[in-house]
Amino acid sequence: MAIVRFLLFATLCFEVFLAGYCRNNSSRPAVVNIGAIFSLESTIGRVAKIAIEEAVKDVNSNSSILSGTELSITTQNSNCSGFMGMVEALQFMETDIVAIIGPQSSVVAHIITHVANELQVPLLSFAATDPALSSLEFPYFIRTTLSDLYQMNAVADIVNYYGWKEVTAIYIDDDYGRNGIAALNDKLAERRSRISYKAGIPPESIKKGTIMDILVKVALMEARVIVLHANPDSGLIVFSVAEYLGMMGNGYVWIATEWLASLLDSATSLPYETTDSLQGALMLRQHTPDSDQKRAFISRWDKLTGGSLGLNAYGLYAYDSVWLVAHALDAFFNHGGTISFSNDSMINSDGNLHLEEMSIFDDGPLLLKTILRTNFTGLTGLVEFDSGRSLSQPSYDVINVVGTGSRRIGFWSSFSGLSTYPPETLLKAPNRSSTHQKLYPVIWPGETLTTPRGWVFSNNGKQLRIGVPVRVSFREFVSRERGTDNAFKGFCIDVFTAAIELLPYAVPYQFIPFGDGHQNPSYTELVNLITTGFFDAAVGDIAIVTNRTRIVDFTQPYAASGLVVVAPFKKLNTGAWAFLQPFSLQMWAVTAAFFIIIGMVVWILEHRINDEFRGPPKQQVTTILWFSFSTMFFAHRENTVSTLGRAVLIIWLFVVLIVNSSYTASLTSILTVQQLSSSVKGVDSLRMTSDPIGYQVGSFAEHYLIEELGISKSRLVALGSPEAYAEALRKGPGKEGGVAAIVDELSYVELFLSSQCTFRIVGQEFTKSGWGFAFPRDSPLAVDLSTAILTLSENGDLQRIHDKWLKQSACSLDDSEIDSDRLHLKSFWGLFVICGLACLVALFIHLVQILRQLHYTNANPNPNPNPDETSSSTEARGSRMGHFHRILSLMDEKHEPSKKSKRRKVELVLDSGKDMVTRTQIATQ
């Protein structure tokens, strides 16, 4: 029975397996139909047709893929027409097509993707590069080539690599051209560059006359970097007309997108006139890694075409697109996918269009997912899609057209940027830092190796409109010449004209006055007019401040000018009490206190062992005071015996030496140098008061005082001239309507003080800024003028212009300082702290010594005590007050020195006695 059961079970399993195998075999049809749509008459279409047909042959001859299922392809010609493309796509839907390869045109792709979405048929385009064909809007659109988003990123990196800031874009005015240029504009903006002019070519009428009109306008623009994003037909006409107009010579830069590379790779030979018009141009080509498989196919291609048609990158992508479908179908069938179609309930079959013939691919979503998960190595390298449904590792060759051929000057990839090494070699160590960006030298239009500047002034007669403030005060900086409207002079004007003369090109400009001539204009409004385009630049004494740098670009500062405070001053007379001025009141108090403290500390340390510090209380107080204050002159006559006393005295004498020296130096300065005083000490003292503050009309000082320092606007008084400055300062902050001080830029203040000797700058310069010339954002002229200003500074011309217009102060008190600082306690507190610590340490050691003696006395009492003394001492030792009295008595009692000390004292007495006898004998004789 067990054997029978086993046989039945084995038979059942075999039948199940056989049924599953047969069902799997039956799910693979003998033929799978795919379609292809492209323009057979175009360069890309001719190459793609051959590549697709060869790919189908290779797939069908390869037994390792599709397992006996044959791939059949039907080709339709779209003629680059959106309508024809839609018609051909609809015809595909009547023949059970499971995938469509193509179209090559982005315009056609925009139309037929709607059909693919509705009928769930994947659309694999090997040449539609429009970045607007996104997977969100067109889920069944699969791009098997590189998106223009990457190509425009590469163009932007090239522009940034050479330091260009503005480009002109010429493009075919359709979905492909417009969306590509929009992507370029976004990528340039990320690098602080921009498209300054866009010129669209009508796709319907590509004629030389139309293109010539476009290029004439382009030639009048300032930007000389031209990006050409077109198709082969219109692109060649653009280059031909550009050569005719002289736009392929020195100073121009032409960057063509991948259309030019596909044309040159496909054409075995071009007319001399065509290649001559391309000289010096840069172009991009999709990078495909070198491999044995690619080289073998190129050799095979030459045999197929007989050398009459070259192989471009689009042909390689078309070939790989067929293999992508084959690999995906193989995996599709392995996962149980079937080829079945059903009617679309949304299609109305009424009428003569026979729309009911179209049907939905039931397993289209599964095939779509399978395609996106497929990866293999083809002629173009690794074919794999990232999370954004784009080919991974996008890269381009950067090519320079030279002579009758082209020369590769480098590569671009999304992970390493510009490099002279193939991208596949940099995958393990990608680096996009600016120091690693590199290209080989380029032969530019005009056969020059010098990198073009990328812009020139337009030759259409337009001059730069430069706004100049019409000042009514401090006219030495900038002023309108009498009897003229647009002629100006002054320090700022001379600096600007001198810098312009250093530029290697001519700059046509005209000065436009800004202001009513009655009061100084607002410089913030002047700068704002640059952003609106009313002015092309602004020249004058314009301060470079934060809120202005956010909207315009400034040149290198040509004059330093931060904010300072100007206030009236008075002379300080020395008088009878001048000797008290060197020290502040706090310094005097602390110094006097330390004299007394040191005297008391030394007395405590010397009282027990030094007879000079003993005696009646009145005498001891006199000794303390005399000793402490006599150390000021190092004239103390009392000798110190204890080690602690000597240590404290040495430190104190060092402090006294420093204090005496500082006092002497400060008093000498007070008595010999004229001192100035002002009630205003600087901007901080102004903020603490409520006094009115003056500022110059039109200056940024008003905004700074209100917004940055928080000073009320009601305290600010607008003043329009140096005379108004002087009058307001003389009146003062009282009822006469004056001001306590004026806040203005250093350059104005220096000019004001050159003729006003009763006012001075108080405090420090509290902002650091300068004057510069203002230009629109990313203006190349601002960069060139900055270089010219630096040259003026280095060769001394800037200083000579300054000396010409700005006179030096004629006041005799230029070197005087306002309110010379006294010596404060903060300058000496370290010395006093050291001295105080020495006193505390010495007193602590002295107290420890006394306590040890007290302990020794208590432990060893007198062997023959007096009964009364014994009882009283016992009572004293038994109370806290007794202990305190005992300590005081020990501190006051005489401590006998050691025998060695006595012997030395006797010797000193004898020596002094001998000396006295000798002097007595001399006096007697």
Side-chain angles (χ1 to χ4, degrees):
M1 289 297 295
I3 296 175
V4 172
R5 290 177 182 175
F6 175 75
L7 292 175
L8 289 175
F9 177 74
T11 302
L12 179 63
C13 290
F14 178 75
E15 290 179 352
V16 171
F17 171 75
L18 184 62
Y21 175 78
C22 293
R23 184 160 50 251
N24 185 50
N25 241 9
S26 64
S27 65
R28 286 180 177 265
V31 178
V32 176
N33 297 318
I34 63 174
I37 298 179
F38 45 84
S39 178
L40 297 176
E41 292 79 16
S42 66
T43 302
I44 296 176
R46 291 195 299 270
V47 173
K49 182 178 183 298
I50 300 175
I52 290 174
E53 290 174 352
E54 292 302 308
V56 172
K57 291 179 184 179
D58 293 344
V59 169
N60 291 333
S61 63
N62 193 328
S63 59
S64 64
I65 193 169
L66 288 180
S67 300
T69 299
E70 183 179 347
L71 200 63
S72 176
I73 188 163
T74 304
T75 303
Q76 297 286 2
N77 187 4
S78 67
N79 290 321
C80 289
S81 168
F83 175 75
M84 289 301 299
M86 183 179 66
V87 172
E88 302 298 342
L90 292 175
Q91 291 180 0
F92 279 148
M93 302 309 159
E94 300 177 2
T95 57
D96 293 344
I97 296 294
V98 299
I100 300 175
I101 297 177
Q104 72 188 62
S105 168
S106 298
V107 176
V108 178
H110 271 282
I111 296 175
I112 67 175
T113 45
H114 294 285
V115 178
N117 290 345
E118 180 64 27
L119 302 180
Q120 299 181 3
V121 176
L123 184 67
L124 293 82
S125 177
F126 58 88
T129 58
D130 181 2
L133 291 166
S134 65
S135 59
L136 295 177
E137 185 178 1
F138 308 109
Y140 280 85
F141 176 79
I142 303 172
R143 198 193 318 271
T144 58
T145 186
L146 301 181
S147 169
D148 277 342
L149 188 65
Y150 300 112
Q151 181 176 208
M152 296 310 173
N153 199 359
V155 173
D157 272 348
I158 293 173
V159 172
N160 185 63
Y161 175 76
Y162 290 109
W164 301 317
K165 292 299 181 182
E166 293 186 355
V167 302
T168 296
I170 302 176
Y171 59 97
I172 192 74
D173 198 6
D174 57 13
D175 290 338
Y176 159 74
R178 286 190 298 269
N179 294 330
I181 293 303
L184 174 62
N185 198 32
D186 293 340
K187 295 302 179 182
L188 288 173
E190 293 175 2
R191 296 157 177 82
R192 292 197 66 183
S193 299
R194 67 187 182 98
I195 298 176
S196 60
Y197 182 72
K198 298 179 183 178
I201 302 173
E204 310 84 31
S205 57
I206 304 175
K207 300 177 180 179
K208 278 193 174 182
T210 304
I211 292 179
M212 184 170 290
D213 293 339
I214 292 173
L215 291 184
V216 167
K217 293 179 180 178
V218 170
L220 297 177
M221 299 297 113
E222 296 180 359
R224 287 292 184 262
V225 180
I226 302 172
V227 177
L228 182 56
H229 186 53
N231 51 43
D233 296 333
S234 60
L236 288 181
I237 298 177
V238 170
F239 275 114
S240 177
V241 175
E243 185 190 20
Y244 174 77
L245 295 176
M247 299 175 65
M248 295 300 298
N250 286 337
Y252 280 92
V253 177
W254 287 84
I255 303 176
T257 51
E258 56 194 1
W259 66 267
L260 181 56
S262 66
L263 175 67
L264 296 180
D265 291 341
S266 303
T268 55
S269 63
L270 289 174
Y272 172 77
E273 295 79 9
T274 301
T275 57
D276 191 54
S277 65
L278 300 174
Q279 296 303 302
L282 297 180
M283 62 181 180
L284 294 174
R285 177 175 60 200
Q286 299 102 320
H287 174 71
T288 54
D290 193 20
S291 64
D292 295 337
Q293 184 182 0
K294 177 182 173 182
R295 286 193 295 269
F297 185 78
I298 292 174
S299 176
R300 176 180 163 192
W301 180 273
D302 293 337
K303 294 178 181 179
L304 287 171
T305 61
S308 61
L309 184 65
L311 176 63
N312 57 37
Y314 290 117
L316 299 176
Y317 282 111
Y319 181 91
D320 283 350
S321 297
V322 175
W323 275 94
L324 175 62
V325 173
H327 282 288
L329 284 172
D330 192 44
F332 171 78
F333 291 135
N334 290 335
H335 288 83
T338 58
I339 306 296
S340 63
F341 296 86
S342 58
N343 293 330
D344 189 350
S345 60
M346 297 181 63
I347 297 178
N348 187 0
S349 60
D350 295 339
N352 299 321
L353 295 178
H354 303 288
L355 298 178
E356 69 278 0
E357 298 294 332
M358 293 187 299
S359 56
I360 297 176
F361 181 22
D362 294 329
D363 275 351
L366 177 60
L367 179 59
L368 176 65
K369 293 180 181 178
T370 306
I371 291 174
L372 295 175
R373 287 197 297 262
T374 300
N375 65 83
F376 67 98
T377 301
L379 299 182
T380 59
L382 178 64
V383 179
E384 183 182 39
F385 295 96
D386 57 21
S387 59
R389 297 177 60 171
S390 298
L391 289 178
S392 60
Q393 303 172 8
S395 56
Y396 289 87
D397 298 337
V398 185
I399 301 171
N400 183 205
V401 180
V402 181
T404 58
S406 59
R407 169 175 165 267
R408 185 166 56 194
I409 62 170
F411 305 89
W412 179 92
S413 64
S414 60
F415 50 85
S416 61
L418 299 172
S419 174
T420 54
Y421 297 98
E424 56 270 17
T425 64
L426 303 175
L427 283 172
K428 295 182 179 180
N431 194 329
R432 282 193 63 94
S433 64
S434 58
T435 56
H436 287 77
Q437 304 298 293
K438 186 179 180 181
L439 293 174
Y440 288 119
V442 178
I443 299 177
W444 303 100
E447 298 182 357
T448 177
L449 291 174
T450 304
T451 303
R453 189 171 63 248
W455 71 281
V456 295
F457 280 98
S458 57
N459 55 6
N460 58 0
K462 178 186 176 183
Q463 295 180 319
L464 287 180
R465 289 173 52 86
I466 299 179
V468 181
V470 180
R471 295 195 58 88
V472 297
S473 63
F474 299 107
R475 295 169 59 85
E476 291 85 351
F477 294 107
V478 58
S479 63
R480 185 192 296 182
E481 294 187 6
R482 296 184 182 276
T484 63
D485 293 330
N486 299 329
F488 289 84
K489 63 180 181 179
F491 168 69
C492 302
I493 301 299
D494 280 5
V495 173
F496 176 76
T497 55
I500 286 291
E501 292 175 357
L502 292 177
L503 298 181
Y505 48 85
V507 181
Y509 64 89
Q510 59 176 336
F511 289 138
I512 307 298
F514 175 73
D516 55 12
H518 300 293
Q519 64 178 7
N520 296 331
S522 171
Y523 283 52
T524 301
E525 293 180 9
L526 173 61
V527 171
N528 287 335
L529 288 177
I530 298 177
T531 63
T532 64
F534 185 81
F535 288 134
D536 298 315
V539 170
D541 46 341
I542 306 171
I544 304 173
V545 293
T546 303
N547 61 331
R548 295 174 185 171
T549 57
R550 294 192 181 106
I551 57 176
V552 297
D553 280 351
F554 283 92
T555 62
Q556 172 79 16
Y558 61 88
S561 186
L563 291 179
V564 294
V565 178
V566 180
F569 69 93
K570 61 181 179 179
K571 299 178 181 179
L572 289 178
N573 297 321
T574 54
W577 301 98
F579 67 92
L580 295 177
Q581 293 180 11
F583 287 164
S584 64
L585 180 61
Q586 188 180 21
M587 180 66 181
W588 280 116
V590 172
T591 303
F594 258 85
F595 272 110
I596 297 175
I597 291 172
I598 293 299
M600 295 179 63
V601 169
V602 173
W603 178 85
I604 293 174
L605 299 175
E606 296 290 325
H607 178 67
R608 301 181 65 236
I609 60 176
N610 193 338
D611 292 336
E612 295 182 351
F613 288 88
R614 299 185 65 83
K618 183 177 180 181
Q619 180 181 346
Q620 295 306 300
V621 171
T622 303
T623 301
I624 292 174
L625 295 177
W626 165 255
F627 178 83
S628 60
F629 287 104
S630 63
T631 56
M632 181 186 303
F633 310 103
F634 306 98
H636 49 285
R637 64 183 183 184
E638 293 79 8
N639 294 319
T640 52
V641 177
S642 67
T643 303
L644 294 177
R646 289 175 178 176
V648 170
L649 185 60
I650 288 174
I651 295 176
W652 172 241
L653 291 178
F654 177 74
V655 174
V656 170
L657 175 64
I658 300 299
V659 172
N660 279 344
S661 301
S662 302
Y663 175 84
T664 304
S666 179
L667 182 61
T668 302
S669 175
I670 291 173
L671 297 177
T672 57
V673 179
Q674 176 65 61
Q675 301 295 309
L676 307 178
S677 176
S678 174
S679 59
V680 178
K681 307 302 180 184
V683 67
D684 292 331
S685 66
L686 277 179
R687 294 174 60 185
M688 302 302 293
T689 66
S690 59
D691 294 337
I693 304 171
Y695 69 94
Q696 184 181 174
V697 175
S699 172
F700 77 96
E702 178 186 13
H703 177 271
Y704 185 88
L705 292 173
I706 296 174
E707 299 297 332
E708 302 297 332
L709 300 184
I711 296 175
S712 174
K713 188 175 182 179
S714 60
R715 293 180 56 192
L716 303 183
V717 179
L719 302 172
S721 66
E723 293 76 15
Y725 281 17
E727 183 179 358
L729 288 172
R730 290 191 186 100
K731 290 181 178 179
K735 298 181 179 180
E736 297 184 2
V739 296
I742 292 174
V743 175
D744 203 353
E745 297 176 62
L746 180 61
S747 298
Y748 302 122
V749 170
E750 288 178 342
L751 189 60
F752 168 69
L753 295 180
S754 65
S755 58
Q756 298 290 336
C757 299
T758 57
F759 312 108
R760 284 292 181 273
I761 297 174
V762 295
Q764 301 294 323
E765 184 178 0
F766 56 93
T767 66
K768 296 294 183 180
S769 62
W771 289 351
F773 306 130
F775 290 87
R777 294 299 296 269
D778 303 320
S779 171
L781 186 56
V783 178
D784 290 350
L785 272 181
S786 294
T787 304
I789 291 172
L790 287 175
T791 303
L792 291 175
S793 177
E794 291 171 358
N795 61 23
D797 288 344
L798 190 60
Q799 185 61 42
R800 282 189 286 271
I801 296 173
H802 179 277
D803 296 339
K804 171 186 173 182
W805 288 98
L806 307 178
K807 58 184 178 180
Q808 299 297 321
S809 175
C811 299
S812 60
L813 298 177
D814 286 345
D815 297 331
S816 300
E817 297 180 357
I818 292 184
D819 195 16
S820 179
D821 289 337
R822 291 180 171 182
L823 298 176
H824 295 274
L825 179 62
K826 62 182 180 181
S827 302
F828 301 91
W829 70 269
L831 290 172
F832 287 117
V833 167
I834 294 173
C835 187
L837 289 175
C839 293
L840 292 176
V841 171
L843 289 175
F844 176 77
I845 295 174
H846 183 68
L847 180 61
V848 169
Q849 292 175 346
I850 292 176
L851 292 176
R852 288 182 61 189
Q853 185 176 356
L854 177 63
H855 177 73
Y856 177 79
T857 303
N858 292 336
N860 301 278
N862 191 350
N864 299 311
N866 188 331
D868 296 334
E869 292 180 356
T870 302
S871 60
S872 62
S873 63
T874 303
E875 293 176 359
R877 284 194 297 267
S879 64
R880 292 183 179 179
M881 186 59 68
H883 281 290
F884 181 71
H885 283 295
R886 179 59 181 160
I887 292 173
L888 292 180
S889 63
L890 284 175
M891 293 178 63
D892 185 59
E893 70 181 10
K894 175 68 175 177
H895 178 70
E896 294 297 333
S898 62
K899 294 181 179 180
K900 186 176 180 180
S901 298
K902 288 182 178 180
R903 188 182 305 112
R904 178 160 181 81
K905 186 174 181 181
V906 170
E907 291 175 354
L908 289 173
V909 171
L910 292 175
D911 290 342
S912 62
K914 293 178 180 179
D915 183 59
M916 186 177 293
V917 170
T918 304
R919 282 182 290 176
T920 303
Q921 292 175 352
I922 293 173
T924 305
Q925 293 175 357

